[in-house]
């Protein structure tokens, strides 16, 4: 079974959806660990599902490169076939990418290349977009610029604020991410 390590930094609803989908056999992969760059609710969710977690804090490293290396080594301990960034709020730098770029994917709450970066939902609203969406893409050195693997549009409603729109996007993200991982597991999408 495909072994997946998830990297996240926040609430963890996408991570929880992956874990639950794996438990129900809907996800054709095993989530073997969840890692974060800061103490975050996502680690508590993983622990509640009896999964190993790891915390690799930038403050614990002298340089950014050493943090990247530390993260790469923490991931390596679980020997994953796939690394999934699901709301991981730090750029993955060269030392990490040297080890894991080939098998790392990210989910982003916009239809890339539109609205890259950490405020994609807010930016789509500010731009007056009538439609946005979510993208699963390969991770490269350039932020949110890797080859897309899947995209799904999500309508923007007139009374949307950042929170309501982001929650509607996340509903779609949870489904899309499982679909992409299942295609990778089935060899229908080949990463490396
Ligand atoms: C997702 O919308 C993801 O695309 C973005 O951060 C959000 C994470 O949501 N990068 P959650 O923490 O899994 O609820």
């Amino acid at each position: 079974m495909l072994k997946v390590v998830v990297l996240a930094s926040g609430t963890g609803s996408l991570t929880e959806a992956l874990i639950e989908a794996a438990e129900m056999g809907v996800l054709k992969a095993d989530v073997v660990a969840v890692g974060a760059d800061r103490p975050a609710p996502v680690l508590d969710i993983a622990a509640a599902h009896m999964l190993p977690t790891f915390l690799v804090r930038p403050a614990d490293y002298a340089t950014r490169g050493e943090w990247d290396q530390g993260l790469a080594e923490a991931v390596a301990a679980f020997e994953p076939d796939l690394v999934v960034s699901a709301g991981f709020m730090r750029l993955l730098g060269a030392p990490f990418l040297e080890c894991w770029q080939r098998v790392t994917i990210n989910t982003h709450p916009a239809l890339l290349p539109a609205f890259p970066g950490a405020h994609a939902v807010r930016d789509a609203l500010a731009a007056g977009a009538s439609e946005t969406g979510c993208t699963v893409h390969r991770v490269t050195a350039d932020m949110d610029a890797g080859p897309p693997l899947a995209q799904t549009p999500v309508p923007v409603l007139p009374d949307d604020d950042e929170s309501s729109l982001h929650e509607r996007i996340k509903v779609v993200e949870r489904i899309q991410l499982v679909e992409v991982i299942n295609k990778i597991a089935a060899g229908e999408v080949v990463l490396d």
Side-chain angles (χ1 to χ4, degrees):
M1 189 82 104
L2 200 75
K3 293 197 294 182
V4 177
V5 165
V6 181
L7 299 178
S9 301
T11 318
S13 72
L14 271 66
T15 301
E16 185 166 43
L18 284 183
I19 293 169
E20 291 175 346
E23 289 169 347
M24 293 184 292
V26 171
L27 183 74
K28 308 305 180 193
D30 285 330
V31 177
V32 294
V34 175
D37 60 317
R38 66 198 74 177
V42 67
L43 296 180
D44 299 328
I45 287 171
H49 287 268
M50 310 304 285
L51 288 177
T53 62
F54 56 91
L55 176 56
V56 183
R57 267 184 279 224
D60 297 339
Y61 294 83
T63 67
R64 180 60 191 261
E66 288 172 31
W67 173 81
D68 273 296
Q69 186 60 35
L71 185 67
E73 290 166 5
V75 168
F78 297 97
E79 299 179 327
D81 304 298
L82 180 67
V83 179
V84 176
S85 166
F88 191 66
M89 298 313 280
R90 289 192 190 277
L91 280 181
L92 297 167
F96 181 89
L97 294 176
E98 277 161 26
C99 298
W100 296 110
Q101 176 167 332
R102 291 178 305 104
V103 293
T104 301
I105 64 175
N106 179 51
T107 179
H108 182 78
L111 294 176
L112 292 171
F115 312 122
H119 305 293
V121 178
R122 184 188 312 172
D123 294 345
L125 277 174
S130 59
E131 182 181 82
T132 184
C134 49
T135 303
V136 177
H137 63 94
R138 300 192 59 178
V139 168
T140 61
D142 299 321
M143 178 182 64
D144 298 334
L149 298 173
Q151 290 195 303
T152 305
V154 173
V156 180
L157 302 182
D159 59 348
D160 265 332
D161 59 17
E162 184 176 357
S163 173
S164 62
L165 178 53
H166 202 168
E167 280 314 308
R168 187 176 317 113
I169 292 170
K170 287 186 186 181
V171 170
V172 177
E173 277 189 284
R174 295 179 193 120
I175 297 164
Q176 179 172 258
L177 192 52
V178 169
E179 287 174 350
V180 170
I181 296 172
N182 281 347
K183 285 181 177 176
I184 293 168
E188 294 168 24
V189 169
V190 179
L191 291 181
D192 55 341

